[in-house]
Amino acid sequence: MASMTEQQPCRVIVVTSGKGGVGKTTSTANIGAGLARMGYKVALIDTDIGLRNLDILMGLENRIVYNIVDVIEDRCKLNQALVKDKRLPNLCLLPAAQTRDKSALDPKNMKKVVEKLKKDFDFVLIDSPAGIEGGFQNAVAAASEAIVVATPEMSSVRDADRIIGLLETKDHIEHYKLVLNRVRPDMMRSNDMMDVDDVIEILSVKLLGLIPEDKDIIVSTNRGEPIALWEGPKTPKATLAYQNIAARVAGEDVPFLDFDIPETFMDKVKGLFKIGSGAA
């Protein structure tokens, strides 16, 4: 699939969670990589000022010269701060600053940076810091869509509910969807983990995708290789899951992975998506 820049405006999507440690940055990296793999021009922005992790997941930490704060404070041009992915030249990262505090970024400057990126990219994905304070407000300021990442745990679902409530107060957020991460069908069957149905009902949100618990995600993180780009005879289910999510973000009608999720939920999903034989 070729770049769609000339046919449709750039879409700006914030990836958020409220609670830390649920896989938000991993999802940003993999959804972005999945879209770039499809041929779209994608920019990822790390807004976690003072920490910075997205570059590690992308394997780009050793190539960073400038960051988003350098751009804002006119120490460099935007294209100087963008780090191109060696695997996919149409995928770029705008890293956060590690040696500054969160006050170095504000919603007004965030909007300015994103407006410049929109001229050259099909998608801008903004990795929001954990929490609901200033970092979240900065990340969400320039977005028109949101992806909420949560795990099937009550604390994560509660925080996701709070984030959804905040997103609903933002007139510029046109819609939001849920990525449910670290799904364990065996634990759901034994009632040791929240059922997907329960999470959807509590949050009253449309589901964008399910990511199974997969040790290969840890391996991919340590290697700096997004699992969405993995290829081989035994493709991990997490690879297929992230590739499918990227396709749905792009507007494709893609069925959900059937990895032994309880029948009640998969029956409902089959009513929303056309399930073809051999579909991932």
Side-chain angles (χ1 to χ4, degrees):
M1 183 181 295
S3 172
M4 304 294 285
T5 304
E6 296 180 359
Q7 299 178 27
Q8 65 182 30
C10 174
R11 291 169 57 192
V12 183
I13 306 171
V14 62
V15 183
T16 184
S17 65
K19 180 178 173 62
V22 298
K24 169 183 51 58
T25 299
T26 300
S27 293
T28 303
N30 281 286
I31 295 171
L35 287 165
R37 175 180 171 272
M38 296 170 67
Y40 291 102
K41 296 176 69 177
V42 182
L44 307 179
I45 306 179
D46 189 343
T47 61
D48 203 352
I49 307 298
L51 291 177
R52 196 167 83 189
N53 287 311
L54 187 52
D55 56 309
I56 295 174
L57 272 65
M58 300 296 296
L60 300 174
E61 67 273 18
N62 294 326
R63 297 175 52 205
I64 293 174
V65 179
Y66 297 108
N67 57 64
I68 188 170
V69 176
D70 291 322
V71 175
I72 290 168
E73 297 181 350
D74 292 325
R75 280 190 291 275
C76 70
K77 295 185 181 297
L78 179 58
N79 62 356
Q80 291 177 294
L82 287 172
V83 184
K84 283 190 176 182
D85 191 286
K86 289 182 178 179
R87 296 153 297 208
L88 295 165
N90 53 325
L91 177 62
C92 292
L93 168 68
L94 180 57
Q98 269 188 311
T99 58
R100 300 293 296 273
D101 61 40
K102 298 186 187 303
S103 64
L105 186 63
D106 61 37
K108 182 180 178 181
N109 287 324
M110 188 70 191
K111 289 178 184 178
K112 285 182 179 179
V113 170
V114 170
E115 281 302 313
K116 291 178 182 178
L117 288 171
K118 286 168 69 173
K119 298 174 184 177
D120 298 313
F121 292 90
D122 301 307
F123 289 93
V124 175
L125 269 59
I126 302 169
D127 183 22
S128 171
I132 59 173
E133 305 305 327
F136 167 77
Q137 300 297 338
N138 292 336
V140 78
S144 57
E145 304 173 43
I147 295 172
V148 179
V149 182
T151 59
E153 305 167 67
M154 186 53 73
S155 61
S156 175
V157 172
R158 182 177 61 186
D159 285 356
D161 191 42
R162 180 72 192 280
I163 282 292
I164 287 170
L166 291 174
L167 291 172
E168 288 177 341
T169 69
K170 308 291 185 183
D171 293 337
H172 56 91
I173 299 294
E174 298 168 3
H175 59 80
Y176 51 84
K177 293 183 180 178
L178 176 72
V179 167
L180 196 60
N181 192 24
R182 297 176 188 155
V183 172
R184 289 276 302 272
D186 57 330
M187 292 184 70
M188 288 181 176
R189 283 193 296 269
S190 62
N191 293 320
D192 291 322
M193 175 175 278
M194 291 182 71
D195 185 88
V196 179
D197 279 332
D198 295 335
V199 176
I200 300 301
E201 184 175 352
I202 291 169
L203 297 178
S204 298
V205 64
K206 291 184 178 179
L207 186 68
L208 181 61
L210 302 169
I211 307 297
E213 182 75 67
D214 193 332
K215 61 179 175 58
D216 284 324
I217 291 180
I218 299 173
V219 175
S220 74
T221 298
N222 290 335
R223 290 180 181 174
E225 299 173 357
I227 200 168
L229 300 180
W230 282 24
E231 296 179 1
K234 293 184 178 180
T235 305
K237 287 184 177 179
T239 299
L240 299 174
Y242 274 122
Q243 288 176 354
N244 286 351
I245 288 172
R248 291 186 199 111
V249 170
E252 295 187 15
D253 215 13
V254 181
F256 282 77
L257 276 171
D258 187 352
F259 46 84
D260 295 322
I261 291 295
E263 285 297 321
T264 54
F265 175 73
M266 288 313 298
D267 288 344
K268 291 179 182 179
V269 168
K270 289 173 184 177
L272 300 175
F273 291 86
K274 297 177 182 178
I275 305 293
S277 59

